[in-house]
Amino acid sequence: MSTTESARPASAGAAPPPSASVGAVVGLLILFEMTSGFLQGGIAPLLPDIGTELGMADADLNWVVAAQLLAAAVSVPAFGRLGDVYGHRLMLRVSLICVAVGSLLLAFAPSLPVLLAGRVLLGPLAALLPLEIALVRDRLSVERARAAIARLVGALTLGTLLGGVVMGLAHKATGDVRITLLLPAALAVLCVPVSFLAIPESTRTPGARLDWPGVGLLSLAMLLLLAGISAAKSGPLLSGAVLVPIPLALLTGAVWAVRELRVPDPLVDLRALADRSVAPYFLCAAAFGVVYFGSMAPDSTFLAADPDRTGYGFGLSALAISLIILPAGVAAVIGSSLTARIAGRLGYRPALIASFALIGASFLAVAAFHTAIWQLVAAKVLAGAGIGVALGALPTVIAEAGAPSRTGITTALYNNVKTLGGAIAGAVIAVILATPATETGSAVADAEEAASESGYVVVWLLCALLSLGAAAAAAFARRGARP
């Protein structure tokens, strides 16, 4: 067991609160993560109905999706480092206020510009978890902080699961998308006064400053990269919309890296992150983003495919697909909640290796056996359990691998790397599935309009390869004072 398994004293000058107080504080943070998951899981399925309500074209809906993603790319590193400098509780409150206002704008938006403004204000949703992780690491011992982080990740996963189900039922009951959107808005507004209750402030780093040029360059690089990736999903790869922003993103990223290596108080300590104790876990985060976000849409379209037309799939409705993937979601919630116990027996690094190996094995099973629904359900339950443990363990090992004074920005970078992996996966998988199906004896003449079954197999094998690669990266990480 590495030295990170031992208890860490609370930050100097900040005595930890009594046990009852700790439980109350973690409970409040869990409420915030449940709300965050509810917003993320519940709003996305309603976007087509929002578009109908405002008379928006499908192309405009793409902007609605991109607005929050781009806002998150900017706000996550900025809020994370601002928390390190000025206090994580302060930035948590600022994030919750932004989210509450954005949720209300989304519910009452009379036009597309107001709707986009609401989506931009929802960007700090992605900053909540890094700020909360920094808070619990600052106030609790290592073991208690690890248990709290596992609960927070479990709450986020459960909230996402409940969001889609509850919002779908609410919309079906009311038939009014605006009334339905008031439900998550009410939860977001409630979180604002709750954040002013018992939550203590974290210890600030004396003399620390925010590297504003570093924030600007990193945000610009992320915006350009995500813009190029988004264009690659819906247009030709050799178009200017793809070929211009991606090289500019790489160039901006290079300028940012050179600056960070030269300034005395950088936004990100690149030398520390390049250490073998840290870098492999960021590779794991990127691979996880590809697997977690990249497999969602292909799994759904495969289940929905008409077997009489394509020669594969089950022709399931949206509700049936939700029920099929529900056991995997429950397994993920259970896995993330049990992460601290599992890692307490195995150690965090072995638990992370085992979780990625399990995810890889499940995707190999899907690639080999996908002709019956029970085969997919069984494999996805295994994947869900592995994903849950990985979700709980990754932010913990990354937070503990970095300097305590930079927990906010370190965990924020983890979130951005994971999101970026998912964005890249969307573009790559769209290209893979663009290969049309070849007509078979069981497929009718229009089969060429659908993706080929072999395309799905390639996607599943890619996810398996990346998962096993992540397990190898975690095994390669150097043990010692850092995980």
Side-chain angles (χ1 to χ4, degrees):
M1 185 178 294
S2 68
T3 58
T4 56
E5 304 299 319
S6 61
R8 177 183 64 86
S11 301
S19 298
S21 176
V22 169
V25 170
V26 173
L28 295 180
L29 299 181
I30 286 174
L31 170 64
F32 301 155
E33 279 310 303
M34 285 280 289
T35 302
S36 175
F38 198 96
L39 282 162
Q40 295 178 59
I43 291 178
L46 294 177
L47 287 177
D49 295 296
I50 295 173
T52 302
E53 178 77 16
L54 295 179
M56 295 162 49
D58 290 344
D60 291 332
L61 280 180
N62 291 330
W63 281 107
V64 173
V65 174
Q68 183 177 348
L69 183 64
L70 296 177
V74 175
S75 61
V76 168
F79 279 50
R81 188 54 182 157
L82 282 169
D84 290 337
V85 176
Y86 298 110
H88 301 100
R89 181 185 64 181
L90 172 63
M91 296 313 301
L92 181 66
R93 289 171 176 171
V94 173
S95 300
L96 290 171
I97 290 171
C98 289
V99 170
V101 174
S103 299
L104 290 171
L105 285 179
L106 195 62
F108 293 108
S111 61
L112 177 60
V114 178
L115 181 70
L116 291 179
R119 293 289 288 178
V120 168
L121 286 171
L122 288 177
L125 268 176
L128 293 179
L129 184 60
L131 292 169
E132 292 159 355
I133 289 174
L135 270 172
V136 300
R137 279 203 72 214
D138 183 77
R139 304 297 297 188
L140 303 179
S141 66
V142 166
E143 296 305 324
R144 299 182 78 180
R146 287 171 170 178
I149 292 171
R151 293 192 192 107
L152 290 172
V153 174
L156 175 63
T157 309
L158 179 59
T160 304
L161 197 64
L162 291 176
V165 175
V166 173
M167 292 288 279
L169 291 175
H171 185 241
K172 184 176 181 179
T174 63
D176 190 319
V177 67
R178 293 191 182 274
I179 294 177
T180 304
L181 287 172
L182 283 175
L183 180 59
L187 287 173
V189 171
L190 174 65
C191 286
V192 175
V194 169
S195 69
F196 285 84
L197 296 179
I199 301 172
E201 183 57 280
S202 58
T203 305
R204 302 176 190 179
T205 305
R209 295 180 300 173
L210 180 63
D211 176 20
W212 283 108
V215 171
L217 287 170
L218 178 60
S219 299
L220 179 59
M222 290 291 296
L223 288 171
L224 289 170
L225 190 57
L226 289 172
I229 292 170
S230 297
K233 293 181 185 179
S234 55
L237 293 177
L238 298 181
S239 67
V242 178
L243 295 179
V244 173
I246 289 182
L248 282 177
L250 298 177
L251 178 60
T252 305
V255 172
W256 170 78
V258 170
R259 173 187 166 76
E260 294 301 287
L261 290 171
R262 292 181 176 178
V263 296
D265 192 13
L267 174 69
V268 179
D269 187 349
L270 293 180
R271 290 186 177 87
L273 293 185
D275 189 272
R276 188 179 150 191
S277 301
V278 186
Y281 295 119
F282 278 96
L283 293 177
C284 290
F288 182 85
V290 174
V291 173
Y292 183 66
F293 295 111
S295 64
M296 289 180 179
D299 287 349
S300 296
T301 55
F302 184 86
L303 289 169
D306 182 357
D308 294 330
R309 187 174 70 87
T310 63
Y312 62 83
F314 304 94
L316 299 181
S317 66
L319 178 59
I321 292 173
S322 299
L323 294 176
I324 291 296
I325 65 176
L326 182 61
V330 172
V333 172
I334 295 173
S336 61
S337 300
L338 295 177
T339 298
R341 293 186 182 181
I342 295 171
R345 292 180 176 273
L346 303 178
Y348 268 79
R349 184 166 158 273
L352 200 55
I353 295 170
S355 67
F356 276 114
L358 183 61
I359 297 169
S362 70
F363 276 104
L364 287 176
V366 172
F369 308 104
H370 49 264
T371 57
I373 290 178
W374 71 266
Q375 296 172 339
L376 295 175
V377 171
K380 289 302 177 182
V381 166
L382 292 178
I387 285 171
V389 175
L391 274 171
L394 259 178
T396 299
V397 296
I398 286 176
E400 293 182 8
S405 63
R406 291 180 173 270
T407 300
I409 185 60
T410 303
T411 50
L413 283 175
Y414 153 71
N415 250 19
N416 262 13
V417 168
K418 184 176 67 174
T419 302
L420 183 60
I424 294 173
V428 172
I429 289 173
V431 172
I432 294 174
L433 295 183
T435 305
T438 55
E439 192 170 346
T440 65
S442 60
V444 295
D446 64 347
E448 63 272 8
E449 297 177 4
S452 66
E453 182 178 0
S454 62
Y456 286 98
V457 173
V458 169
V459 169
W460 292 325
L461 290 175
L462 175 63
C463 290
L465 181 63
L466 286 171
S467 299
L468 297 175
F476 178 76
R478 186 174 62 201
R479 299 186 230 187
R482 294 174 178 178

